[in-house]
C-alpha cells in the first residue's frame, strides 16, 4: 500500500483493510521485481445510530444517523418494522437488527429489542365516590398511575387501590418497571346518593320516616332485630334497643347509610313509693342509664342518677324517669309525717348487784309505739298512752335512747335526749402494814403504818399482836420480842365496797442481839500452793450484814479485785511468803463495832524435777532370748511411782523400780523407758531411756554403768541434758548429735568430744513446737536413737 494509514494490505493474500478515508495504490511485485498496481478508494462509514434501542409492542421509537442520504432496513420485519425516516415500530416480542446503508455500500447496524406489554388489568371498572376498588395485573412488580381528568380518582402506585373522588371517568395505567411498557383500563366513578334525612334515635316500639333526594334507590336495615325499614317508603320501626345502620342504595350500587340508635322504652318504676318526711327511698327501673326528675320539688327531690327520692313536705309528688331520646315513665310518691319528738328521762348510777335505774319518756302519743334502745340493741316496745311512759328499771350500763314508730305509716323518729346508766363495780378492800424495820435490835421500839386499798376517805384500824387486840389508830408502836406477829383489821368507808373490813397479813419481827463483826480468810486450795498455781482468798464473815465492804492488801499494798476493791474474794498467782490482809466494813444492824481485819501468809512450794537413771543387768547388749533386769533410780522424787514402757507402750503390771524382760527384737533395737512421778505437794514426772541390742555373736557384757545414756528430763520444755557413758570407758571420741521432727526435718545438729568416755551435753531446742522428736547419737562405737518429747 502506498498510503498504509489509509489502507493496509496483507502481503501474502492481497486483503485490503480500509483504515481512513482516501485513496491508496496497492502494488503486487514478483520476485523478479516486476510489479503491477491498482488504485483503491476507502469510503467513510455512516456515524453511530442514535435513538432508543428498545420499544414496546404497538409503540414506536425514532432512530437517526448524522450522515444523511442512507437507507434503513430491518433484519426481522415480523418483530419490528422501520420506515425511510428511521421510525421503528414494535410488532412482536423479540430482537431485530436495524441497518443504515450509504450509497457507497458502507453501512452500520443497531439492535432493537421489542418488549411485550403487561397482561390485561383485572378488577371492577366502576367505583362509587368515596369508595375503593382493587386492580391487579398478573405481571408483578409494576407501578400504577392515573391519567385523564384530574380529581376524579386516585390510585395507589404499589397497591393498585383506586379511590373515587368525584363522578366521571379516568384511565388507570400499569407500567412494567423492567421494560416501561404500559397497559391501561378505564374506571367510571359513580356519585353517592344525597344525604339521608330522618331521626337519629327513637324509642323502641315507635316509628320514624327516612328520605333521600336521589330517586330510584332502595332502603334496607343492617339489623332487623333492632329496626326494620320499608324498602320503598323509608318508614322505619324500632324493635329493640341498640344501634343499626339504615342504608339507601342506587341502581349503580352506590349507597349511603344513617346510624340510628334505638332507646329502650322504660318499664314501670319499681321501689317503695310511701316514704316518711325527711327519709329517702331509692326508685329503680329495669332499663338502666336514664335520668330521674321530680315534678313537685316542694314535696320531694330525687337524685338524677341514683333515683333516691327524699321527702321534703307531706303530700304527693310525681317522679319522672327519662331514658335516651325522651322515652319516659312516671310514678307518684306519698310523703308521710314523722311522730312528735318527746324527751327521754331517768338514768344515773348504782352499785353492782343493785336493782338498776328507772328510764322513761316525758310524753307519748296514742297510735305510736316506742322502742327503748341500749346502744344499738332494742330492749323493749311500749305502746303510746297519750301521757308519760315508764320503761322500767334498767341494769345494763351504757347509753339509752328511744325511737317512736307510727303504727300506720311505719315512720319513725328518735326522741330527744339520752339516759346514761353507770354501774359502779364492787371493790374489795385490802390492807397491808409496813414496819419501820423488820429486824429490830433488842430493846428497841418499832412502828407500824397501814397501807390501805379501797379504804375510803376515813377508814378505822384495830391492831393485833400475837392474836390479841392491842389498840386502834392510824399507827402502832411498841417494843417487840423476837417472833412477835403483828396484824391490823381495817373497816372501810369506800363507795360500793364488799366486804366492809379487811385483815392484813401478819408481819413477824426478828429481834437480833448486839454483836461485834468478825472476818477471816479462807484460802483455796490452801495456804500452801505450787509455784505458778492460782490461789483464791475468800473473806468469811460473822455479823457482816447484808452488804459488807471489803478492802484487800498484798504485802502492804492495796489491790483491785474484780471491778473494785470491795469484792469478797481475791485470786492471784502468789510468791512464797506473800502477806495478804483483808478489812471488812460491816453494815450489820445491831453491830457493836464497824471494822474487823484478817491476816494470812502464803507458802509457795517449788517442784524439783527428779533425775532418773536406768541400770541394765547384765547389760544392754544381749544374746537372743537372754533375760535383762532394769533398775530405775531417781534423785529428788518424793514418794515416787513407776511405770515401765517398751517401745513407747506401757508394760502391764510393771509399776515398781525394777523390771525384768527378755525376747528383745533382733532386727531393731528395743527401747525401755521408765516414767517416774514425784508425789510431793506439786506432782511432777520424769523419763529415762535405754536401748537393748540383740547380738548373735558371743560378746562379753559391758557394764551398764558405761553403756547407758539418758535424756534428762524427758518429756521436757525444750531444754534437756544428754548424760551417760560410752561402751568404751576412758576413751575419748567424737559424737555427732542430730535431732529431727517426725517428718525428718533437722532442728538441731552438733558435734561433741567425750571426756573419759562420758557424755554430759546440755541442749536447748529454742522455739521448737510441742511433739515427738528423734535424737540420733553417732560415733565410731555408738549409733543410738532416742525419742524426745517436748511439752511446754
Amino acid at each position: 500500500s502506498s498510503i498504509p494509514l489509509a489502507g493496509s494490505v496483507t502481503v501474502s493474500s492481497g486483503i485490503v483493510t480500509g483504515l481512513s478515508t482516501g485513496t491508496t495504490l496497492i502494488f503486487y511485485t514478483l520476485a523478479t521485481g516486476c510489479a503491477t498496481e491498482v488504485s483503491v478508494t476507502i469510503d467513510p462509514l455512516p456515524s453511530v445510530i442514535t435513538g432508543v434501542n428498545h420499544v414496546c409492542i404497538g409503540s414506536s421509537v425514532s432512530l437517526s444517523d448524522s450522515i444523511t442520504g442512507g437507507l434503513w432496513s430491518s433484519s426481522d420485519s415480523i418483530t419490528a418494522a422501520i420506515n425511510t425516516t428511521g421510525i421503528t415500530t414494535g410488532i412482536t416480542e423479540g430482537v431485530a437488527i436495524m441497518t443504515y446503508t450509504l450509497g457507497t455500500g458502507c453501512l452500520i447496524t443497531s439492535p432493537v429489542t421489542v418488549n411485550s406489554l403487561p397482561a390485561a388489568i383485572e378488577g371492577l371498572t366502576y367505583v362509587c365516590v368515596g369508595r375503593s376498588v382493587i386492580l391487579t395485573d398478573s405481571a408483578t412488580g409494576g407501578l400504577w398511575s392515573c391519567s385523564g381528568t384530574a380529581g376524579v380518582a386516585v390510585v395507589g402506585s404499589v397497591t393498585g387501590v383506586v379511590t373515587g373522588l368525584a363522578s366521571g371517568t379516568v384511565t388507570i395505567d400499569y407500567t412494567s418497571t423492567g421494560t416501561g411498557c404500559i397497559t391501561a383500563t378505564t374506571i367510571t366513578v359513580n356519585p353517592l346518593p344525597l344525604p339521608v334525612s330522618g331521626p337519629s334515635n327513637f324509642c323502641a316500639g315507635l316509628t320514624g320516616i327516612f328520605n333521600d333526594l336521589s330517586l330510584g334507590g332502595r332502603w334496607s336495615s343492617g339489623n332487623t332485630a333492632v329496626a326494620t325499614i320499608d324498602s320503598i317508603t323509608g318508614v322505619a320501626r324500632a324493635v329493640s334497643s341498640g344501634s343499626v345502620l339504615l342504608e339507601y342504595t342506587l341502581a349503580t350500587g352506590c349507597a349511603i347509610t344513617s346510624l340510628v340508635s334505638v332507646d329502650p322504652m322504660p318499664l314501670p318504676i319499681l321501689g317503695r313509693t310511701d316514704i316518711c318526711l325527711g327519709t329517702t327511698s331509692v326508685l329503680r327501673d329495669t332499663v338502666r342509664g336514664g335520668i330521674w326528675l321530680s315534678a313537685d320539688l316542694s314535696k320531694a327531690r330525687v337524685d338524677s342518677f341514683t333515683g333516691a327520692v327524699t321527702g321534703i313536705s307531706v303530700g304527693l309528688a310525681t317522679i319522672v324517669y327519662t331514658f335516651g331520646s325522651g322515652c319516659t315513665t312516671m310514678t307518684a310518691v306519698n310523703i308521710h309525717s314523722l311522730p312528735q319528738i318527746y324527751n327521754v328521762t331517768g338514768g344515773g348510777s348504782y352499785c353492782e348487784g343493785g336493782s338498776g335505774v328507772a328510764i322513761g319518756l316525758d310524753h307519748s302519743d296514742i297510735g305510736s309505739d316506742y322502742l327503748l334502745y341500749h346502744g344499738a340493741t332494742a330492749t323493749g316496745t311500749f305502746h303510746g298512752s297519750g301521757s308519760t311512759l315508764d320503761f322500767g328499771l334498767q341494769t345494763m350500763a351504757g347509753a339509752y335512747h328511744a325511737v317512736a314508730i307510727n303504727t300506720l305509716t311505719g315512720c319513725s323518729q328518735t326522741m330527744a335526749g339520752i339516759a346514761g346508766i353507770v354501774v359502779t363495780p364492787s371493790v374489795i378492800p385490802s390492807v397491808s402494814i409496813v414496819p419501820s424495820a423488820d429486824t429490830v435490835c433488842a430493846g428497841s421500839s418499832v412502828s407500824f403504818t397501814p397501807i390501805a386499798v379501797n379504804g375510803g376517805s376515813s377508814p378505822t384500824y384495830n391492831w393485833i399482836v400475837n392474836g390479841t387486840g392491842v389498840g386502834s389508830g392510824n399507827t402502832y408502836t411498841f417494843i417487840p420480842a423476837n417472833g412477835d406477829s403483828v396484824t391490823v383489821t381495817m373497816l372501810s368507808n369506800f363507795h360500793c365496797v364488799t366486804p366492809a373490813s379487811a385483815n392484813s397479813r401478819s408481819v413477824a419481827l426478828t429481834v437480833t442481839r448486839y454483836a461485834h463483826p468478825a472476818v477471816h480468810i479462807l484460802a483455796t486450795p490452801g495456804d500452801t500452793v505450787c509455784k505458778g498455781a492460782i490461789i483464791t482468798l475468800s473473806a468469811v464473815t460473822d455479823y457482816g450484814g447484808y452488804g459488807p465492804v471489803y478492802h484487800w492488801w498484798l504485802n502492804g499494798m492495796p489491790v483491785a479485785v474484780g471491778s473494785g476493791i470491795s469484792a469478797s474474794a481475791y485470786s492471784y498467782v502468789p510468791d512464797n511468803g506473800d502477806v495478804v490482809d483483808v478489812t471488812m466494813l460491816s453494815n450489820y444492824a445491831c453491830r457493836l463495832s464497824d471494822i474487823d481485819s484478817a491476816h494470812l501468809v502464803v507458802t509457795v512450794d517449788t517442784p524439783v524435777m527428779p533425775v532418773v537413771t536406768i541400770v541394765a543387768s547384765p547389760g544392754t547388749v544381749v544374746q537372743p532370748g537372754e533375760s535383762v533386769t532394769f533398775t530405775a533410780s531417781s534423785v529428788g522424787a518424793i514418794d515416787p511411782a513407776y511405770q515401765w514402757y517398751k517401745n513407747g507402750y506401757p508394760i502391764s503390771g510393771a509399776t515398781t523400780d525394777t523390771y525384768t524382760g527378755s525376747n528383745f527384737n533382733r532386727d531393731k533395737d528395743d527401747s525401755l523407758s521408765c516414767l517416774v512421778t514425784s508425789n510431793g505437794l506439786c506432782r511432777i514426772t520424769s523419763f529415762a531411756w535405754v536401748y537393748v541390742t540383740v547380738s548373735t555373736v558371743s560378746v562379753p557384757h559391758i557394764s551398764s554403768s558405761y553403756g547407758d545414756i539418758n535424756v534428762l528430763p524427758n518429756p521436757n520444755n525444750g531444754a534437756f541434758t544428754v548424760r551417760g557413758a560410752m561402751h568404751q570407758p576412758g576413751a575419748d571420741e567424737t559424737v555427732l548429735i542430730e535431732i529431727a521432727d517426725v517428718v525428718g526435718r533437722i532442728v538441731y545438729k552438733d558435734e561433741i568430744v567425750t571426756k573419759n568416755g562420758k557424755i554430759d551435753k546440755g541442749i536447748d531446742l529454742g522455739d521448737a513446737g510441742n511433739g515427738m522428736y528423734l535424737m540420733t547419737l553417732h560415733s565410731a562405737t555408738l549409733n543410738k536413737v532416742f525419742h524426745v518429747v517436748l511439752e511446754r
Side-chain angles (χ1 to χ4, degrees):
S1 173
S2 62
I3 305 175
L5 294 178
S8 65
V9 63
T10 303
V11 295
S12 59
S13 63
I15 294 175
V16 178
T17 300
L19 299 177
S20 63
T21 59
T23 301
T24 184
L25 294 175
I26 301 302
F27 296 93
Y28 179 68
T29 305
L30 297 176
T32 62
C34 294
T36 187
E37 62 184 45
V38 67
S39 177
V40 176
T41 299
I42 296 96
D43 295 316
L45 286 174
S47 63
V48 176
I49 297 173
T50 58
V52 178
N53 63 353
H54 56 84
V55 67
C56 299
I57 294 175
S59 297
S60 299
V61 295
S62 177
L63 300 182
S64 62
D65 194 286
S66 60
I67 299 175
T68 61
L71 297 177
W72 294 94
S73 62
S74 172
S75 65
D76 186 356
S77 58
I78 296 177
T79 299
I82 189 169
N83 65 12
T84 58
T85 62
I87 300 300
T88 304
T89 301
I91 299 173
T92 60
E93 184 178 4
V95 177
I97 305 300
M98 300 301 157
T99 302
Y100 183 67
T101 306
L102 295 176
T104 59
C106 294
L107 59 85
I108 192 169
T109 62
S110 176
V112 173
T113 301
V114 179
N115 296 312
S116 62
L117 297 176
I121 295 173
E122 297 177 355
L124 295 175
T125 59
Y126 57 90
V127 66
C128 299
V129 172
R131 305 291 191 267
S132 298
V133 294
I134 299 176
L135 301 181
T136 60
D137 195 286
S138 60
T140 60
L143 295 176
W144 299 88
S145 61
C146 184
S147 62
T149 304
V152 174
V154 293
V155 64
S157 62
V158 176
T159 62
V161 175
V162 179
T163 301
L165 301 178
S167 60
T169 59
V170 68
T171 299
I172 303 300
D173 296 325
Y174 180 73
T175 303
S176 173
T177 54
T179 64
C181 296
I182 300 173
T183 189
T185 188
T186 298
I187 297 293
T188 299
V189 180
N190 296 312
L192 293 175
L194 294 174
V196 173
S197 62
S200 60
N201 61 326
F202 52 106
C203 300
L206 302 183
T207 59
I209 299 175
F210 292 85
N211 295 291
D212 193 284
L213 297 179
S214 299
L215 302 178
R218 295 282 180 172
W219 293 94
S220 63
S221 172
N223 186 349
T224 57
V226 176
T228 61
I229 190 169
D230 186 276
S231 63
I232 304 299
T233 64
V235 175
R237 177 176 294 278
V239 177
S240 62
S241 62
S243 296
V244 63
L245 285 174
L246 300 181
E247 186 174 75
Y248 185 69
T249 306
L250 297 176
T252 60
C254 295
I256 190 169
T257 60
S258 178
L259 178 62
V260 177
S261 296
V262 177
D263 297 326
M265 182 67 74
L267 296 176
I269 294 173
L270 304 175
R272 184 164 55 90
T273 56
D274 283 284
I275 63 175
C276 300
L277 183 66
T279 63
T280 299
S281 173
V282 178
L283 303 181
R284 65 186 185 279
D285 195 285
T286 55
V287 176
R288 302 297 178 87
I291 300 297
W292 297 87
L293 60 89
S294 172
D296 302 287
L297 290 176
S298 63
K299 300 294 183 182
R301 64 174 179 265
V302 62
D303 186 280
S304 300
F305 300 102
T306 64
V309 179
T310 301
I312 304 299
S313 62
V314 176
L316 291 174
T318 300
I319 304 300
V320 180
Y321 180 66
T322 302
F323 186 86
S325 59
C327 308
T328 62
T329 186
M330 62 185 66
T331 189
V333 174
N334 191 9
I335 298 97
H336 300 283
S337 61
L338 300 177
Q340 184 68 33
I341 298 176
Y342 300 111
N343 298 309
V344 177
T345 61
S349 64
Y350 73 98
C351 292
E352 183 180 15
S355 58
V357 178
I359 296 177
L361 200 64
D362 64 356
H363 194 75
S364 62
D365 292 327
I366 296 173
S368 291
D369 285 341
Y370 296 86
L371 280 69
L372 180 66
Y373 283 86
H374 174 235
T377 303
T379 62
T381 301
F382 302 84
H383 301 300
S385 62
S387 62
T388 61
L389 277 184
D390 183 4
F391 294 130
L393 295 175
Q394 304 298 321
T395 59
M396 297 183 65
Y400 290 80
H401 70 277
V403 176
I405 301 175
N406 187 297
T407 57
L408 293 177
T409 64
C411 294
S412 64
Q413 179 76 280
T414 300
M415 300 294 98
I418 293 175
I421 294 181
V422 177
V423 180
T424 303
S426 297
V427 296
I428 300 173
S430 65
V431 65
S432 60
I433 52 177
V434 178
S436 57
D438 55 2
T439 299
V440 184
C441 296
S444 300
S445 64
V446 62
S447 296
F448 291 87
T449 302
I451 305 298
V453 176
N454 300 325
S457 59
S458 57
T460 60
Y461 301 96
N462 292 311
W463 296 93
I464 302 167
V465 176
N466 299 327
T468 302
V470 294
S472 61
N474 290 336
T475 61
Y476 175 65
T477 303
F478 80 116
I479 298 174
N482 188 45
D484 276 354
S485 176
V486 179
T487 60
V488 71
T489 298
M490 177 189 71
L491 182 61
S492 172
N493 68 342
F494 194 82
H495 181 60
C496 295
V497 66
T498 301
S501 63
N503 295 320
S504 71
R505 291 186 179 182
S506 63
V507 175
L509 297 175
T510 300
V511 179
T512 61
R513 67 184 184 88
Y514 285 96
H516 289 280
V519 65
H520 64 276
I521 299 174
L522 174 64
T524 305
D527 58 3
T528 301
V529 296
C530 292
K531 184 174 181 61
I534 295 176
I535 188 172
T536 298
L537 306 175
S538 303
V540 181
T541 64
D542 295 321
Y543 306 109
Y546 62 85
V549 177
Y550 303 94
H551 294 275
W552 295 86
W553 283 267
L554 175 62
N555 297 325
M557 298 298 292
V559 293
V561 180
S563 60
I565 62 173
S566 62
S568 62
Y570 169 50
S571 299
Y572 80 112
V573 178
D575 291 326
N576 189 43
D578 278 352
V579 177
V580 181
D581 294 278
V582 66
T583 297
M584 175 196 69
L585 179 62
S586 171
N587 66 349
Y588 176 65
C590 301
R591 61 187 180 276
L592 296 174
S593 58
D594 294 329
I595 299 176
D596 190 41
S597 301
H599 178 83
L600 179 70
V601 178
V602 181
T603 301
V604 176
D605 185 16
T606 301
V608 177
M609 178 72 72
V611 178
V612 182
T613 58
I614 298 175
V615 176
S617 179
T620 57
V621 180
V622 299
Q623 296 297 315
E626 184 177 4
S627 179
V628 181
T629 297
F630 303 91
T631 302
S633 60
S634 59
V635 177
I638 300 173
D639 190 18
Y642 301 90
Q643 176 62 60
W644 290 88
Y645 292 81
K646 183 176 182 181
N647 297 325
Y649 294 95
I651 302 172
S652 178
T655 57
T656 65
D657 60 347
T658 62
Y659 166 70
T660 301
S662 58
N663 297 322
F664 294 101
N665 197 322
R666 292 179 55 185
D667 300 323
K668 184 178 181 181
D669 291 350
D670 281 329
S671 67
L672 265 296
S673 61
C674 184
L675 172 68
V676 178
T677 302
S678 177
N679 291 300
L681 176 66
C682 305
R683 295 178 75 251
I684 192 167
T685 61
S686 182
F687 271 90
W689 299 71
V690 296
Y691 289 88
V692 178
T693 303
V694 178
S695 175
T696 57
V697 180
S698 178
V699 295
H701 290 293
I702 300 175
S703 172
S704 61
S705 61
Y706 293 100
D708 295 328
I709 300 174
N710 296 304
V711 177
L712 303 174
N714 195 15
N716 55 70
N717 62 3
F720 57 91
T721 300
V722 180
R723 181 181 300 157
M726 303 291 288
H727 286 298
Q728 300 296 327
D732 294 339
E733 57 181 309
T734 300
V735 179
L736 174 64
I737 303 175
E738 285 187 344
I739 301 177
D741 59 17
V742 293
V743 296
R745 292 177 297 194
I746 302 297
V747 299
Y748 180 88
K749 187 174 184 180
D750 196 8
E751 283 187 350
I752 62 171
V753 178
T754 62
K755 302 296 185 181
N756 297 320
K758 294 183 178 180
I759 296 177
D760 190 356
K761 171 65 176 175
I763 295 175
D764 190 342
L765 294 184
D767 58 356
N770 290 346
M772 176 75 74
Y773 293 85
L774 300 179
M775 182 178 71
T776 302
L777 303 183
H778 180 71
S779 70
T781 63
L782 178 67
N783 190 19
K784 291 292 185 180
V785 178
F786 294 85
H787 295 81
V788 179
V789 179
L790 194 156
E791 293 179 348
R792 296 186 186 278

